[in-house]
Amino acid sequence: MNKGDIKMKILKLTPPTKDYIWGGTRLSKEYGILSFEDRQAEAWMLSCHEAGHCVIENGPFKGRTLSDVLSAEGKGYLGKNCERFESFPILIKLIDALDNLSVQVHPDDAYALENEGEYGKTEAWYIVDCDEDAEIIYGFKKDIDGDTFRKSIEENTLLEYVNRVKVKKGDIFFIEAGTLHAICKGILLAEVQQNSNTTYRVYDYGRLQNGKPRELHIEKALDVTSTKAIDASGKPQGETEKKDGYSETLLTSCDLFTVKRLDVEERAKLCADESSFVSLVALEGNGVVMYADSCVTLYKGDSLFVPAGLGEFEILGEVTVLETRV
Ligand code: ZN
């Protein structure tokens, strides 16, 4: 298999799943995600992270991990915008929170590279579905100082200071490294994030796992958390634009990733140029992707990796897709 081949193939990925204690069962029941666990808290829809690799389920690379194929074939498939990263730059997850996740914070690149040997984590959450009163924790209600933050952790009063934001389907939240955050129960979301697993847990609702509380990382969290108040609207960054056969909404864009929602009603003509690969995750409905002389199905819960430089491709059907490019 030479390097030219992968550029011509759209890869369908089987995501690894995680059965964390707070997870539900919707990812397998409603999104068709294969899992042998009783619970699926997370499905890593696009992942080359060592803690969970996607496996290719179609074509000549079937059965191999995405990361294995990408490293064997060279870096051209990732696109020019990825050249500045040493490793695969992003990780995309579907997360089903039946219960509250711990309140946590991630370091930025500078701190993480120095202290953890990997990149920091900026992330974005797209609310795919949620209960009526669902909310997230997103930073602080008002500015507090470091001492107050420390005391609130030690005295178990942190929740009095955090900013609780009610969410609805279609909301998007950009969570810059250093922002305190938590997904609360009753939310199913898509997370696009830097490819990092460094998390500092600050508060865990006093829960026990195997009879013991999970470890907190208070000193590191104090080092990296921004204690300024923030404001969150959940509104996409761009307006919805009507295109030929579909509409497109820019959800969020930063120097790490650009995420759009494509609501395909009939067809969407798209292109993977040399700048970046394209990740497609189907959130609702069913479609098929046609390109060159091939096609691949894109059903709710499916994840496709379109290599940079593949050129034009077309989604046909009625399907809502999260499109991510670097
Ligand atoms: Zn996080």
Side-chain angles (χ1 to χ4, degrees), residues 45 55 77 83 105 127 197 208 237 248 267-268 274 302:
M45 308 305 288
V55 174
Y77 46 77
E83 283 169 7
V105 64
I127 308 296
N197 223 5
L208 302 178
Q237 201 173 316
E248 177 183 297
R267 61 182 59 231
E274 299 288 347
D302 280 348

Side-chain angles (χ1 to χ4, degrees), residues 240-248 262-270 313-317:
T240 298
E241 288 176 52
K242 192 82 193 105
K243 307 257 186 178
D244 183 19
Y246 71 107
S247 48
E248 177 183 297
L262 310 176
D263 292 294
V264 183
E265 286 134 40
E266 238 174 282
R267 61 182 59 231
K269 272 207 166 99
L270 304 168
F313 61 96
E314 189 169 30
I315 305 173
L316 300 171

Side-chain angles (χ1 to χ4, degrees), residues 26 33 45 71 80 88 92-94 96 111 149 158 171 173 177 191 221 262 265 278 296 312:
R26 297 184 64 189
I33 288 167
M45 308 305 288
S71 34
K80 292 197 174 66
F88 194 77
I92 301 178
K93 301 175 177 178
L94 285 179
D96 175 20
Y111 189 93
F149 182 35
L158 179 66
D171 281 350
F173 296 92
E191 179 178 87
L262 310 176
E265 286 134 40
V278 184
V296 54
E312 288 191 345

